[in-house]
């Protein structure tokens, strides 16, 4: 995407969501294929100062504390340099308060020396409720494992005070030559200055679309389809009776969840639409949610593919993420076409996405921060709903099987090297299919 | 078949985009560009330029005296003029309401100065009464060079200055701006914190975005933050003639024919001759565009999104074969070429959706050469030249011709360069005929008798329609799709 690596630098008082933003941004960039890593200076400090005593460490007149903190920042920057110049990193997210102009100037010089572009992300918030919520998350940190909540909150508030006096917010006049986004009151308002390139533009767009309103995302596949039971991939078949049963059970399940204002999305393929129809609510069809296009292998069974395209079959097992079916798509292509879905999922609140195996794997990988290597092997069985609820820095997953039998369409990652496929005869009554 | 979910939630409230800013701050430029973009991605949008209404109302435009506040007579005229302006704004708002309620409009771009809070409040209550969302776009600029450039670029095309001397017109215009400045109240970040808006400072070096309400506003903000006004050119070209082109077959992934290779070389020479600084070159993932770019001897970037339209079951067939094997599909395609989706393939509408990130990146970039395909090039061209969906699939994009697009004033200048290397013609004209508001679809290569009343012939791609009886013709006009197979013989 770009030649110059980019250094994203967070700015803001404690409990303003910097780490939340850093982790989320890192997850998003990696998912779309931009090698990104976050460097949390607090982590380095924890390595250095094994036991956290109290907020006193952060007092501006604590020489010893200051020295250690500067060293930690340097150590982190060193690792940033290594990641971006020697380890193929494209973006590094430097997560720290960086609340003084002096500190930021040091970072800018570091970046200049190494040929990195710098983009600041500042989070400014004065809403006491939001800050309170954030503090609760911060209290999950190793610093406070042995404190009771009241003590911890008090200490944390004093910690914030230590930074407040010397806080120099990014200024539209004084800092007019810097590239930055200032996020105010959790996204009510943004100030964006000097976006230099494509990746910064994408980052700004992403940051402007995320929110922290509690909600849940439900992911499931269509009900079992005719082609599923035949062991054939792709195509555009309708639901089997069991698949229709799933539709009904899904409807009951959704109602029992008591979700306010649920949006329902499907692909433009019969099997997801038929599943949604059973819910009796309005739903929206997205072509980009269509299953991966298996090109010349559409509607074949895996045995047929192995017989007719043995080389292709082997290549796919070698690199399932990047392998593109002839005249078809790869998982990598899927991720690209699903990006607008992810962006809109970020904007929305409660959503049920009825999709397909490969598509669901891609979406799941985004929410659970799975690598490209893991993504094509994530388990997404039929007739099972995954309920994703954002919590702290990540996502809670609840797997709910709706108790309707279905064939198993999952193929495990093959053993090392080129595999010989183990043929099994499939009988019409067979519930489970081996090695799929 | 329900409408596609490309834009969620936009089917609810219509949205008014309200421009704010002194004259010569690019409001009309932004309005037109935004309108063009939204229509291209499929959001019905219309621009309402209050200046247009004013020009209608005040047929003869004398001079800036109209605007000067320090002259009693002029003050009276100014007050009269203000009333006229208000009346014009009201007329425009009425038309906005008609557009939303009767014409299925989704977004209205209200292009006027709207520089006072009072004026904006009128618009806000108008919208609130009717359940429209409002999003303000304010352009703030104090750089005299930029303002001078804006005035030069667009004002001299304006009907207001048609018979005027340039110097005089410039003076006049500057005075006009001064009159507005006195009463200009920019959107206030504190008092107006409940409004949804974006402030654009100095042509995009800085933005302030407040309370984005929904998907469409988020897309608008993203678009506005990616456009720029730096002069540059975009070159669009198809790959050189391919082997499948020569065989009259569509789609596929063949290499270049010898003439195609010649074109690639000619393209290289042409590009060199254009002396472009820092040119980016983009191709698709298909061999014919890659081979074409290879001849340029420079770095190029491959975009899968630039691949030709997927013709699904019709891939690598000739049009005759399609007509033979899929007559109904063939007819359907001619009926609505923009929305028609090949079985297991794509439609032009799908193409536009997948090309949107390409357009966004083209907006960000400066000089770019895009080596692509016929359907792709039509979509891109339709965006730059503001062609509607029903014209898009019939735009002419012949092989071996480079189109140089240069933004100018409110639009785009197009220069075609045919590089003098012969190639087959892959263009299919729009079939005739629209008759009695129904479109006849010509789907059979054979002479056939329909309803024993009239004949339709379709020969060598040139459809003819004839009837000996106008009544019968009218009867046939009530049919949307004609299936001669049942009547052959």
């Amino acid at each position: 995407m770009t030649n110059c690596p980019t250094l994203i630098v967070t700015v803001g008082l404690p409990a303003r969501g910097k780490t939340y933003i850093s982790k989320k941004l890192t997850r998003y960039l990696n998912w779309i294929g931009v090698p990104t890593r976050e460097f949390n200076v607090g982590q380095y400090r924890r390595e250095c100062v094994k036991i956290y005593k109290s907020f006193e460490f952060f007092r501006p007149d604590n020489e010893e504390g200051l020295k250690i903190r500067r060293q930690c920042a340097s150590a982190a920057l060193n690792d940033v340099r290594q990641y971006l110049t020697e380890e193929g990193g494209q973006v590094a997210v430097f997560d720290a308060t960086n609340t003084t102009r002096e500190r930021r100037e040091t970072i800018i010089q570091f970046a200049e020396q190494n040929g990195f572009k710098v983009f600041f992300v500042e989070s400014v918030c004065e809403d006491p409720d939001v800050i309170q919520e954030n503090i609760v998350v911060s209290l999950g940190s190793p610093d406070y494992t042995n404190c009771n909540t009241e003590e911890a909150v008090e200490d944390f508030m004093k910690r914030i005070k230590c930074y407040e006096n010397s806080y120099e917010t990014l200024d539209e006049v004084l800092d007019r030559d810097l590239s930055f986004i200032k996020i105010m009151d959790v996204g009510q308002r943004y100030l964006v200055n000097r976006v230099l390139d494509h990746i910064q533009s994408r980052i700004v767009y992403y940051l402007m679309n995320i929110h922290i309103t509690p909600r849940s995302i439900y992911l499931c596949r269509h009900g079992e389809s005719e082609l599923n039971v035949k062991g054939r991939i792709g195509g555009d078949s309708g639901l089997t009776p069991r698949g229709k049963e799933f539709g009904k059970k899904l409807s009951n399940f959704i109602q029992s969840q008591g979700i306010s204002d649920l949006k329902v999305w499907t692909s433009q393929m019969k099997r997801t639409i038929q599943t949604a129809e059973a819910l009796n609510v309005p739903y929206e069809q997205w072509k980009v949610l269509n299953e991966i296009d298996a090109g010349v292998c559409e509607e074949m069974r895996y045995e047929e593919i192995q017989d007719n395209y043995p080389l292709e079959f082997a290549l796919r097992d070698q690199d399932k993420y990047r392998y593109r079916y002839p005249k078809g798509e790869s998982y990598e292509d899927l991720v690209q076409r699903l990006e607008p879905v992810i962006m809109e999922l970020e904007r929305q609140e409660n959503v049920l996405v009825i999709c397909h195996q490969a598509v669901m794997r891609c979406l799941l990988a985004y929410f659970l921060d799975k690598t490209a290597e893991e993504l094509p092997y994530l388990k997404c069985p039929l007739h099972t709903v995954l309920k994703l609820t954002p919590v702290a820095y990540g996502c809670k997953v609840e797997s709910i099987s709706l108790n309707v039998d279905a064939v198993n369409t999952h193929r495990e990652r093959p053993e090392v090297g080129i595999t010989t496929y183990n043929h099994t005869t499939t009988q019409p009554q067979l519930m489970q299919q081996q090695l799929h | 078949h329900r409408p596609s979910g490309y834009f969620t939630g936009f089917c609810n409230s219509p949205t008014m985009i309200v421009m704010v800013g002194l004259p010569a701050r690019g409001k009309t430029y932004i309005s037109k560009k935004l309108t063009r973009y939204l229509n291209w991605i499929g959001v019905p949008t219309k621009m309402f330029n209050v200046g247009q209404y004013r020009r209608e109302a005040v047929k003869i435009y004398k001079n800036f005296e109209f605007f000067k506040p320090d002259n009693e007579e002029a003050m009276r005229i100014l007050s009269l003029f203000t009333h006229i302006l208000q009346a014009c704004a009201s007329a425009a708002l009425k038309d906005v309401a008609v557009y939303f309620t009767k014409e299925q409009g989704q977004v209205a771009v209200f292009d006027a100065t709207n520089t006072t809070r009072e004026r904006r409040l009128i618009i806000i209550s108008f919208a609130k009464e009717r359940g429209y969302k409002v999003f303000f776009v304010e352009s703030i600029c104090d750089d005299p060079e930029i303002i001078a450039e804006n005035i030069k670029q667009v004002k001299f095309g304006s009907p207001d200055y048609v018979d005027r001397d340039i110097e005089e017109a410039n003076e006049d215009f500057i005075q006009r701006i001064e009159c507005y400045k006195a009463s200009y109240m920019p959107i206030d970040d504190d008092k107006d914190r409940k409004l949804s808006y974006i402030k654009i400072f100095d042509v995009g070096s800085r933005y302030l975005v407040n309370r984005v309400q929904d998907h469409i506003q988020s897309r608008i903000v993203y678009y506005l933050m990616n456009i720029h006004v730096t002069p540059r050119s975009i070159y669009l070209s198809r790959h050189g003639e391919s082997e499948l082109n020569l065989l009259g077959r569509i789609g596929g992934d063949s290499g270049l024919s010898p003439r195609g290779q010649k074109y690639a070389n000619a393209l290289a020479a042409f590009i060199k001759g254009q002396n472009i600084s820092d040119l980016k070159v983009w191709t698709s993932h298909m061999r014919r565009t890659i081979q074409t770019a290879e001849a340029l001897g420079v770095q190029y970037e491959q975009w899968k999104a630039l691949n030709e339209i997927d013709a699904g079951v019709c891939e690598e067939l000739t049009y005759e074969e399609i007509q033979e094997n899929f007559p109904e599909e063939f007819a359907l395609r001619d009926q609505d070429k923009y929305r028609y989706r090949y079985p297991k393939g794509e439609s032009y509408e799908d193409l536009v959706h997948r090309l949107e990130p390409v357009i966004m990146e083209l907006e960000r970039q400066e000089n770019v050469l895009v080596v692509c395909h016929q359907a792709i090039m039509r979509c891109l061209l339709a965006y730059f030249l503001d062609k509607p969906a029903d014209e898009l699939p019939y735009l002419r994009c012949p092989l071996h011709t480079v189109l140089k697009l240069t933004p100018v004033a409110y639009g785009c200048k197009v220069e075609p360069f045919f590089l003098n290397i012969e190639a087959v013609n892959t263009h299919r004209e729009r079939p005739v005929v629209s008759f009695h508001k129904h479109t006849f679809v010509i789907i059979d290569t054979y002479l056939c008798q329909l309803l024993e009343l009239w004949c339709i012939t379709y020969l060598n791609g040139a459809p003819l329609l004839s009837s000996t009886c106008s009544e019968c013709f009218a009867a046939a006009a009530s049919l949307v799709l004609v299936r001669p197979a049942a009547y052959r013989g």
Side-chain angles (χ1 to χ4, degrees):
Chain A
M1 232 181 234
T2 44
N3 314 319
C4 248
T6 303
L7 177 60
I8 299 180
V9 181
T10 64
V11 179
L13 295 172
R16 265 53 176 182
K18 296 183 303 300
T19 301
Y20 175 81
I21 289 170
S22 299
K23 286 188 186 265
K24 212 169 155 73
L25 189 55
T26 301
R27 175 162 59 89
Y28 168 71
L29 290 172
N30 277 312
W31 186 77
I32 62 171
V34 181
T36 305
R37 191 183 292 175
E38 43 139 1
F39 297 83
N40 177 286
V41 174
Q43 272 307 115
Y44 287 77
R45 191 255 308 150
R46 276 183 276 278
E47 297 292 310
C48 201
V49 182
K50 291 297 173 184
I51 300 164
Y52 175 75
K53 294 220 176 66
S54 78
F55 77 95
E56 306 267 355
F57 179 82
F58 292 97
R59 286 178 57 153
D61 54 358
N62 182 340
E63 287 292 336
E64 177 71 22
L66 279 171
K67 188 166 145 212
I68 293 175
R69 287 153 69 194
R70 262 188 228 114
Q71 280 172 351
C72 289
S74 293
L77 285 178
N78 243 331
D79 287 352
V80 163
R81 181 198 350 254
Q82 184 159 337
Y83 177 64
L84 295 179
T85 53
E86 289 163 41
E87 294 175 32
Q90 191 59 43
V91 176
V93 183
F94 188 70
D95 177 21
T97 49
N98 298 316
T99 40
T100 61
R101 203 156 269 123
E102 185 199 352
R103 169 113 301 267
R104 297 193 289 267
E105 192 47 50
T106 313
I107 299 171
I108 293 168
Q109 282 179 20
F110 161 83
E112 240 161 71
Q113 278 163 15
N114 289 287
F116 306 149
K117 285 183 181 168
V118 183
F119 188 76
F120 291 96
V121 176
E122 179 172 18
S123 173
V124 174
C125 180
E126 293 314 316
D127 183 335
D129 292 329
V130 176
I131 295 170
Q132 192 62 29
E133 283 283 327
N134 290 354
I135 290 178
V136 171
V137 173
S138 302
L139 295 187
S141 133
D143 290 343
Y144 294 104
T145 354
N146 296 317
C147 295
N148 80 50
T149 314
E150 251 186 65
E151 280 173 9
V153 172
E154 216 188 293
D155 183 282
F156 203 84
M157 300 293 275
K158 292 197 183 131
R159 191 151 120 178
I160 298 177
K161 277 258 169 291
C162 294
Y163 287 91
E164 268 174 10
N165 287 335
S166 58
Y167 183 17
E168 295 168 290
T169 186
L170 285 170
D171 184 87
E172 50 190 75
V173 175
L174 294 173
D175 298 305
R176 77 178 90 77
D177 290 328
L178 301 183
S179 296
F180 65 83
I181 178 171
K182 190 190 256 205
I183 305 170
M184 292 168 263
D185 294 317
V186 205
Q188 292 280 36
R189 176 180 292 186
Y190 305 90
L191 182 69
V192 180
N193 200 62
R194 290 195 186 273
V195 171
L196 292 180
D197 61 17
H198 177 95
I199 193 71
Q200 290 180 15
S201 159
R202 294 287 288 278
I203 288 166
V204 163
Y205 185 42
Y206 181 72
L207 292 176
M208 287 175 55
N209 280 314
I210 60 180
H211 67 77
I212 55 170
T213 313
R215 50 79 173 254
S216 289
I217 294 170
Y218 299 81
L219 300 181
C220 75
R221 289 167 66 187
H222 52 83
E224 182 190 68
S225 74
E226 303 285 359
L227 284 176
N228 283 148
V229 294
K230 295 193 180 122
R232 296 184 175 282
I233 65 171
D236 192 15
S237 58
L239 300 180
T240 64
R242 296 197 299 198
K244 291 187 182 131
E245 179 66 28
F246 170 69
K248 292 203 192 97
K249 292 256 175 95
L250 183 63
S251 178
N252 296 335
F253 169 72
I254 289 301
Q255 276 176 43
S256 73
Q257 289 279 299
I259 311 148
S260 70
D261 200 29
L262 177 75
K263 298 263 161 50
V264 179
W265 298 349
T266 69
S267 69
Q268 287 185 355
M269 298 180 135
K270 292 202 198 98
R271 50 200 189 276
T272 57
I273 293 169
Q274 284 177 15
T275 310
E277 281 288 322
L279 303 176
N280 252 316
V281 296
Y283 58 91
E284 213 169 323
Q285 299 176 19
W286 292 67
K287 185 173 193 268
V288 292
L289 284 174
N290 281 4
E291 181 58 314
I292 190 170
D293 183 354
V296 298
C297 299
E298 275 286 313
E299 300 197 40
M300 289 183 149
R301 301 170 61 226
Y302 283 116
E303 294 89 342
E304 286 168 357
I305 302 175
Q306 206 186 16
D307 284 340
N308 296 307
Y309 300 97
L311 185 60
E312 295 298 326
F313 193 79
L315 283 170
R316 187 159 203 252
D317 279 344
Q318 260 192 329
D319 187 357
K320 197 172 176 188
Y321 183 73
R322 270 162 219 89
Y323 171 81
R324 193 184 278 167
Y325 282 107
K327 300 195 173 172
E329 294 177 297
S330 62
Y331 272 95
E332 193 172 26
D333 294 329
L334 266 198
V335 161
Q336 238 206 9
R337 74 163 152 93
L338 284 169
E339 202 265 351
V341 176
I342 288 295
M343 198 61 88
E344 193 54 24
L345 277 172
E346 286 295 346
R347 289 199 54 80
Q348 292 289 342
E349 292 183 18
N350 295 312
V351 187
L352 164 64
V353 185
I354 303 173
C355 54
H356 305 265
Q357 183 169 248
V359 170
M360 189 163 157
R361 284 171 170 158
C362 292
L363 298 177
L364 198 58
Y366 166 75
F367 288 108
L368 303 186
D369 202 14
K370 299 294 182 186
T371 63
E373 279 58 53
E374 293 172 273
L375 187 161
Y377 297 102
L378 294 174
K379 282 207 195 291
C380 295
L382 286 165
H383 300 182
T384 306
V385 182
L386 292 185
K387 178 178 179 179
L388 304 166
T389 312
V391 67
Y393 296 136
C395 225
K396 181 174 84 169
V397 200
E398 294 166 72
S399 172
I400 303 127
S401 161
L402 295 194
N403 270 320
V404 180
D405 284 333
V407 294
N408 172 21
T409 58
H410 187 84
R411 279 189 77 236
E412 285 296 349
R413 188 195 297 268
E415 300 292 308
V416 178
I418 298 186
T419 53
T420 45
Y421 187 84
N422 193 357
H423 285 259
T424 54
T425 46
T426 46
Q427 290 134 50
Q429 302 88 5
L430 200 66
M431 296 302 184
Q432 294 277 333
Q433 286 181 325
Q434 301 296 326
L435 289 172
H436 262 78
Chain B
H1 178 81
R2 282 155 154 273
S4 72
Y6 296 153
F7 310 101
T8 53
F10 93 82
C11 333
N12 310 329
S13 320
T15 304
M16 282 185 68
I17 311 277
V18 181
M19 305 301 301
V20 180
L22 294 171
R25 264 55 174 179
K27 297 186 301 302
T28 304
Y29 174 81
I30 290 170
S31 299
K32 286 190 187 248
K33 213 170 154 73
L34 189 55
T35 302
R36 175 164 58 90
Y37 167 71
L38 290 172
N39 277 312
W40 185 77
I41 62 173
V43 181
T45 305
K46 191 169 173 185
M47 197 182 126
F48 297 82
N49 177 285
V50 176
Q52 269 308 115
Y53 287 77
R54 191 256 304 147
R55 261 171 232 115
E56 287 300 308
V58 184
K59 285 295 177 187
I60 300 157
Y61 177 93
K62 297 275 187 205
N63 59 33
F64 77 88
E65 285 286 338
F66 228 19
F67 299 89
K68 225 157 76 174
D70 60 59
N71 170 325
E72 228 185 83
E73 170 69 6
M75 278 311 287
R76 199 182 58 78
I77 295 175
L78 178 66
S79 134
L80 175 68
F81 184 76
T82 309
H83 282 110
I84 293 174
L85 263 191
Q86 282 171 6
C88 291
S90 298
L93 285 178
K94 280 209 179 72
D95 286 353
V96 166
V98 169
Y99 179 60
F100 284 155
T101 51
K102 305 226 167 67
E103 296 173 31
Q104 282 96 47
Q106 194 61 42
V107 176
V109 183
F110 196 70
D111 178 24
T113 51
N114 298 316
T115 40
T116 62
R117 303 203 66 204
E118 188 196 352
R119 173 112 301 271
R120 298 194 290 268
L121 274 164
I122 293 172
I123 298 171
I124 291 169
S125 28
F126 166 85
K128 196 168 178 179
E129 264 166 54
R130 291 165 182 74
Y132 307 153
K133 289 186 179 169
V134 182
F135 188 77
F136 291 96
V137 177
E138 182 170 25
S139 174
I140 296 164
C141 181
D142 293 313
D143 184 334
E145 273 181 43
I146 297 179
I147 296 167
E149 184 60 33
N150 285 355
I151 296 177
K152 197 176 82 173
Q153 277 275 324
V154 297
K155 290 308 171 188
F156 302 137
S158 162
D160 288 343
Y161 294 100
V162 130
D163 298 313
R164 312 291 297 279
D165 164 67
I166 288 183
E167 284 284 331
E168 205 189 299
N170 198 50
E171 244 316 292
D172 184 309
F173 200 76
I174 304 250
Q175 292 299 332
R176 187 152 115 178
I177 300 178
E178 289 304 311
C179 292
Y180 278 96
K181 262 194 187 166
S183 59
Y184 180 23
M185 298 148 101
I187 295 178
D188 187 298
D189 294 330
D190 188 46
K191 294 199 200 118
D192 296 317
R193 77 179 92 76
K194 294 259 186 280
L195 300 182
S196 296
Y197 61 86
I198 179 171
K199 283 191 187 181
I200 305 171
F201 296 92
D202 298 320
V203 204
S205 73
R206 195 164 82 248
Y207 306 90
L208 183 76
V209 180
N210 198 63
R211 286 193 185 263
V212 170
Q213 294 169 28
D214 61 17
H215 177 93
I216 197 67
Q217 290 180 17
S218 159
R219 295 286 290 275
I220 288 165
V221 164
Y222 185 42
Y223 181 72
L224 292 176
M225 287 174 54
N226 281 312
I227 60 180
H228 67 79
V229 294
T230 313
R232 49 83 169 252
S233 288
I234 294 169
Y235 298 80
L236 301 182
S237 160
R238 288 168 69 185
H239 51 82
E241 183 190 68
S242 73
E243 302 287 0
L244 283 177
N245 284 147
L246 277 180
L247 296 171
R249 295 184 173 284
I250 66 170
D253 192 14
S254 59
L256 298 180
S257 69
R259 296 196 298 199
Q261 191 55 58
K262 274 217 186 95
Y263 173 70
N265 299 330
L267 182 62
F270 169 76
I271 289 298
K272 264 217 180 76
Q274 287 281 299
N275 259 318
I276 311 145
S277 72
D278 200 28
L279 177 75
K280 298 261 160 51
V281 179
W282 298 350
T283 69
S284 69
H285 277 205
M286 298 179 136
R287 288 162 56 204
R288 50 200 189 277
T289 58
I290 293 171
Q291 284 177 15
T292 308
E294 278 289 322
L296 302 175
V298 298
Q299 273 198 326
Y300 56 91
E301 205 176 318
Q302 299 176 22
W303 292 66
K304 187 168 195 270
L306 286 172
N307 280 5
E308 181 59 313
I309 191 170
D310 183 355
V313 299
C314 298
E315 276 286 316
E316 299 196 42
L317 299 183
T318 63
Y319 282 116
E320 289 80 9
E321 282 167 358
I322 300 174
Q323 212 180 13
E324 270 295 320
N325 297 306
F326 304 97
E328 204 172 312
E329 296 297 326
F330 193 77
L332 283 169
R333 187 160 202 252
D334 279 342
Q335 245 192 336
D336 188 357
K337 198 171 175 187
Y338 183 72
R339 270 164 218 88
Y340 171 81
R341 194 184 275 168
Y342 282 108
K344 302 196 173 172
E346 294 176 299
S347 62
Y348 272 94
E349 191 174 27
D350 295 328
L351 274 196
V352 162
H353 179 67
R354 73 163 153 92
L355 284 169
E356 203 264 350
V358 176
I359 287 297
M360 198 62 89
E361 193 54 24
L362 275 172
E363 285 294 347
R364 289 198 54 80
Q365 291 289 343
E366 292 182 19
N367 295 314
V368 187
L369 162 65
V370 185
V371 181
C372 54
H373 306 265
Q374 181 167 249
I376 299 288
M377 191 159 155
R378 283 170 170 158
C379 293
L380 298 178
L381 199 57
Y383 167 75
F384 288 109
L385 302 186
D386 202 14
K387 298 294 181 186
D390 59 310
E391 284 181 54
L392 186 161
Y394 298 101
L395 293 174
R396 277 191 184 285
C397 295
L399 287 165
H400 299 185
T401 305
V402 185
L403 292 183
K404 177 178 179 178
L405 304 166
T406 312
V408 66
Y410 295 135
C412 226
K413 180 174 84 171
V414 199
E415 294 165 80
F417 294 93
F418 173 60
L419 300 195
N420 253 321
I421 313 250
E422 291 303 316
V424 296
N425 172 22
T426 58
H427 187 85
R428 279 190 75 237
E429 283 299 344
R430 188 196 295 269
V432 112
V433 147
S434 210
F435 190 86
H436 288 187
K437 296 183 187 168
H438 295 283
T439 309
F440 275 93
V441 177
I442 319 299
I443 57 170
D444 199 281
T445 48
Y446 306 102
L447 210 66
C448 65
Q449 273 200 304
L450 288 128
L451 301 174
E452 295 158 34
L453 299 170
W454 36 269
C455 298
I456 294 176
T457 63
Y458 183 59
L459 208 62
N460 297 331
L464 302 166
L465 192 66
S466 71
S467 169
T468 50
C469 169
S470 57
E471 254 180 46
C472 304
F473 207 81
S478 66
L479 294 175
V480 176
L481 177 64
V482 173
R483 299 189 59 181
Y487 304 98
R488 212 179 289 174

